[in-house]
Amino acid sequence: MKNTEIRSLSASEIAERIVAEKENLTKVAFAHTISPIENPNRIRESKRLIARLKTALAAK
């Protein structure tokens, strides 16, 4: 998700997206712990997306 897409969302949509991404991160991290996932960079990308969303929410 690009920063321009994030900026176009409302504050409530950003908050919902943060919750969804945190759940996704937990599932991916858990799956990676059990058996290595194909692309472990997905964990890093998910963390960075959550950080971008939190920054955008704080700015609003």
Side-chain angles (χ1 to χ4, degrees):
M1 181 173 245
K2 303 276 185 180
N3 284 335
T4 54
E5 295 172 350
I6 293 172
R7 282 190 227 119
S8 67
L9 298 175
S10 69
S12 61
E13 290 173 332
I14 292 174
E16 291 173 8
R17 190 68 191 242
I18 289 172
V19 171
E21 286 299 323
K22 281 186 176 182
E23 289 174 6
N24 184 33
L25 174 64
T26 325
K27 289 177 186 176
V28 170
F30 187 70
H32 183 64
T33 303
I34 294 173
S35 64
I37 56 176
E38 214 172 283
N39 186 4
N41 286 334
R42 288 179 51 202
I43 296 171
R44 182 187 304 167
E45 291 169 3
S46 186
K47 287 180 182 179
R48 288 182 178 178
L49 177 58
I50 292 169
R52 280 191 203 104
L53 289 167
K54 284 183 175 182
T55 303
L57 185 61
K60 290 193 179 214

